[in-house]
Amino acid sequence: MLEWLGDRLAALGRWGLAAGQRLGRGTLFLLATLWALPGLLLRPGLVVAQLYSVGVLSLLIIVVSGGFVGMVLGLQGYNTLVGFGAEQSLGVVVALSLVRELGPVVAALLFAGRAGSSLAAEIGLMKATEQLSGMEMMAVDPMSRVIAPRFLAGVLAMPLLAAIFSVVGIGGGFAVGVGLLGVDPGAFWSQIQDKVDVFEDVANGVIKSVVFGFVAAWIAVFEGYDCRPTSEGVNRATTRTVVHTSLAVLGLDFVLTALMFGE
Amino acid sequence: MRAGTEQAMAAEPLVRIRGLHFARGSRTIFDGVDIDIPRGRVTAIMGPSGTGKTTLLKLIGGQLRPAGGSVHVDGEDVHALSRRRLFRLRQRMGMLFQSGALLTDLSVFDNVAFPLREHTRLPESLIRQMVLMKLQVVGLRGARALMPAELSGGMARRAALARAIALDPMMILYDEPFTGQDPISMGVLVKLVRLMNDALGLTSVVVSHDVAETLSIADHVYLVADGRVVAAGSPAELRASEAPRVRQFLEGLPDGPVPFHYPAQDYAEDLLVDGHA
Ligand SMILES: Nc1ncnc2c1ncn2[C@@H]1O[C@H](COP(=O)(O)OP(=O)(O)O)[C@@H](O)[C@H]1O
Ligand SMILES: [Mg+2]
């Protein structure tokens, strides 16, 4: 029994050490990435190309999901509000839910699943096929040529994708609420104009999505760069990217929400 | 020693490796290796798989750091250089990776142009001419528009070779250039290594376990095993060697100083033990 407990404790300790080591490596890697960012000013083309591929990868799923989430919000919100005779406030409910919460969070989760996993796989494959090593031997630094542009593209794309998600979502809510359930369109928009505050709500939502984008892009490029250079290693890297990003985003969302909106 | 290579050794070697030690975890890969790579020659470094041939090339290129000893390339201590100086030195070395390591999202043309675009400010028209010249050398001028995924293994290696000579290096490091090739592309690559060495005035280092092909083009051979140089000399000298290790490697004998069996307990005893492995 005691031996069993000892074994468990030792395993826990080993796991803790490994996790700590990884976190350390990840932090050093992030610093190296940030260090390589200024160099991109000379070569904006690299970032634009990545921005394009990250954006194109994610745009469809962001638009479709945003639409559906907005429509569900419209239905659910209406059903609740109509009990209080407040169904004319549907616009505010939909808009606030999206801008403050669902836009940044769901867009980040989708981003991790679509663009993050593909970034990790791409970098991991470049490592497994010695492309990164080959670049180093050609005296080209993979940090500035491969990692930094992808990281920056992720950070920049996230707020845009979250904004698109929210806008399309509000459209979905409008379609259901106004088109299907008979909410007054004038009330829908004017309530949004009235009650959604640019600083309180929109700016805080943007801050969230910037933080999530930073974390999602960091995890994706790090997992790809740090993977074991085998097909199994690449596979694990993509899975871990999605899992770790999702957990990190949800955890951070709680912290940020508490800081921003909790009194 | 070795009449044929004496002269080349007399001049200062391009690469001088002294007392090299390197370990992966607890496993010793190199345990005091001395190697000289003479200028202008094809030097082969041979040894069984897993002896650390790729590792040796990465140590020469400064991608790995030795635990002890030194590597000098053209008079510069590779592992004492600043990053900037190391990168400048690397521009004068080409390395052909075993897999080719072509950038998968770029065409053959853009792959060969890659080092030129990264390291020079030449106008695009000049880059085009230089790329086509390099591709002509390896016979792939017509394949410039293909993507790496569309190339056969031999073509991928030739494209990588064109990229390795893009910056007109002083030396090329070849990692297993012949392994896994069909007889024709093998012959092409063998011819190319020799041709480029002589026509471009390069120094070539060929790391390989393909005995016949490598001996046919090498001026000088090192045989590495168990972390040490176990034999060195011209191909003729190696062929004439009586040392059992050399004979086993050159003739591909299954058993000898390198045993067929992975170290294990006594066979009879092992079979008699009941229970599990
Ligand atoms: N990244 C690595 N991590 C741990 N061990 C490695 C790594 N790369 C190579 N090795 C080990 O080092 C030894 C030498 O590898 P390598 O230089 O690739 O041999 P060779 O090219 O002669 O076949 C092998 O036993 C291999 O398993
Ligand atoms: Mg090898």
Side-chain angles (χ1 to χ4, degrees):
Chain A
M1 180 63 205
L2 215 60
E3 198 177 312
W4 179 87
L5 204 66
D7 280 354
R8 293 301 106 174
L9 272 176
L12 190 70
R14 268 196 300 278
W15 178 85
L17 281 179
Q21 244 177 19
R22 243 184 112 63
L23 196 64
R25 274 209 307 283
T27 309
L28 288 178
F29 175 84
L30 178 65
L31 291 178
T33 308
L34 296 176
W35 182 248
L37 285 182
L40 292 174
L41 285 175
L42 293 174
R43 306 188 60 178
L46 289 177
V47 185
V48 173
Q50 289 308 320
L51 206 52
Y52 180 77
S53 74
V54 166
V56 166
L57 279 182
S58 314
L59 198 56
L60 185 68
I61 191 170
I62 289 283
V63 167
V64 171
S65 311
F68 279 119
V69 167
M71 279 152 59
V72 170
L73 279 177
L75 280 176
Q76 294 280 18
Y78 183 86
N79 281 335
T80 311
L81 290 172
V82 84
F84 305 100
E87 67 272 19
Q88 300 307 324
S89 302
L90 184 65
V92 189
V93 171
V94 170
L96 281 185
S97 317
L98 282 165
V99 170
R100 281 179 167 192
E101 202 60 47
L102 292 172
V105 172
V106 180
L109 296 179
L110 294 171
F111 179 85
R114 189 68 187 86
S117 61
S118 125
L119 274 180
E122 189 191 10
I123 295 170
L125 269 173
M126 289 183 85
K127 183 176 183 183
T129 55
E130 295 186 306
Q131 293 181 56
L132 297 183
S133 214
M135 266 190 200
E136 270 181 28
M137 279 306 294
M138 286 187 281
V140 174
D141 182 11
M143 288 309 286
S144 34
R145 186 65 176 64
V146 175
I147 304 297
R150 284 169 173 75
F151 172 77
L152 186 59
V155 175
L156 294 177
M158 196 64 250
L160 296 177
L161 292 170
I164 292 171
F165 186 95
S166 293
V167 168
V168 175
I170 293 172
F174 180 84
V176 167
V178 176
L180 230 56
L181 303 171
V183 175
D184 179 59
F188 189 94
W189 293 121
S190 65
Q191 293 248 2
I192 290 182
Q193 264 183 355
D194 232 31
K195 299 263 165 53
V196 180
D197 187 85
V198 177
F199 292 108
E200 270 291 292
D201 304 313
V202 178
N204 280 339
V206 170
I207 289 172
K208 273 187 181 178
S209 66
V210 169
V211 173
F212 296 163
F214 188 92
V215 170
W218 174 24
I219 292 177
V221 291
F222 175 65
E223 289 289 352
Y225 192 81
D226 196 55
C227 78
R228 266 183 301 131
T230 59
S231 35
E232 202 246 335
V234 175
N235 181 17
R236 278 177 61 101
T238 55
T239 311
R240 293 168 75 132
T241 299
V242 177
V243 173
H244 290 183
T245 308
S246 305
L247 290 176
V249 163
L250 294 171
L252 278 171
D253 183 49
F254 174 75
V255 174
L256 289 174
T257 308
L259 287 176
M260 289 168 174
F261 302 108
E263 286 314 89
Chain B
M1 110 194 175
R2 293 136 208 146
T5 52
E6 195 128 275
Q7 216 178 352
M9 305 299 265
E12 214 228 313
L14 184 60
V15 180
R16 180 198 292 274
I17 299 173
R18 285 294 174 269
L20 188 71
H21 285 259
F22 184 79
R24 288 266 189 208
S26 61
R27 208 179 135 220
T28 303
I29 311 267
F30 294 118
D31 188 16
V33 165
D34 298 336
I35 289 179
D36 282 329
I37 312 277
R39 293 170 193 268
R41 302 299 185 93
V42 177
T43 303
I45 296 170
M46 310 195 67
S49 289
T51 38
K53 300 184 298 296
T54 303
T55 307
L56 183 65
L57 292 185
K58 292 194 167 170
L59 283 161
I60 295 176
Q63 286 193 299
L64 293 174
R65 213 158 239 297
S70 66
V71 178
H72 283 81
V73 176
D74 202 20
E76 300 195 78
D77 183 346
V78 172
H79 300 97
L81 293 177
S82 68
R83 192 177 166 73
R84 182 185 295 270
R85 304 256 316 268
L86 177 63
F87 268 37
R88 208 170 303 149
L89 181 63
R90 280 185 188 162
Q91 291 184 34
R92 299 195 288 142
M93 311 194 230
M95 174 139 164
L96 188 71
F97 282 82
Q98 201 164 343
S99 58
L102 292 171
L103 299 170
T104 38
D105 55 345
L106 298 181
S107 69
V108 168
F109 182 97
D110 289 330
N111 260 289
V112 180
F114 182 82
L116 294 166
R117 289 181 178 145
E118 290 291 324
H119 293 305
T120 69
R121 291 180 192 283
L122 298 174
E124 208 42 39
S125 59
L126 202 55
I127 286 185
R128 177 170 181 279
Q129 282 182 8
M130 294 180 68
V131 170
L132 293 186
M133 276 159 56
K134 306 298 177 191
L135 283 173
Q136 175 75 10
V137 175
V138 300
L140 290 182
R141 193 166 42 86
R144 74 188 90 157
L146 297 183
M147 296 304 284
E150 300 172 293
L151 302 177
S152 71
M155 286 163 81
R157 250 172 247 189
R158 279 148 69 190
L161 196 47
R163 186 178 68 176
I165 55 168
L167 290 170
D168 294 319
M170 58 179 177
M171 166 168 78
I172 303 191
L173 309 169
Y174 297 89
D175 191 0
E176 310 272 6
F178 314 125
T179 304
Q181 299 296 311
D182 65 68
I184 298 178
S185 46
M186 178 109 89
V188 169
L189 285 163
V190 169
K191 206 178 116 229
L192 268 178
V193 172
R194 188 74 242 184
L195 179 101
M196 300 223 304
N197 188 80
D198 299 346
L200 303 178
L202 297 166
T203 298
S204 311
V205 181
V206 178
V207 147
S208 180
H209 55 227
D210 294 298
V211 176
E213 291 73 24
T214 311
L215 290 188
S216 75
I217 51 163
D219 297 311
H220 195 72
V221 184
Y222 284 91
L223 185 58
V224 179
D226 296 332
R228 297 179 159 277
V229 174
V230 294
S234 68
E237 284 165 337
L238 247 70
R239 283 207 190 88
S241 168
E242 296 293 333
R245 262 186 185 291
V246 179
R247 295 253 61 81
Q248 189 192 0
F249 184 74
L250 294 192
E251 290 167 22
L253 305 176
D255 211 353
V258 179
F260 169 70
H261 289 288
Y262 195 84
Q265 73 183 104
D266 185 71
Y267 187 36
E269 264 177 36
D270 210 356
L271 290 178
L272 288 176
V273 175
D274 32 53
H276 303 286

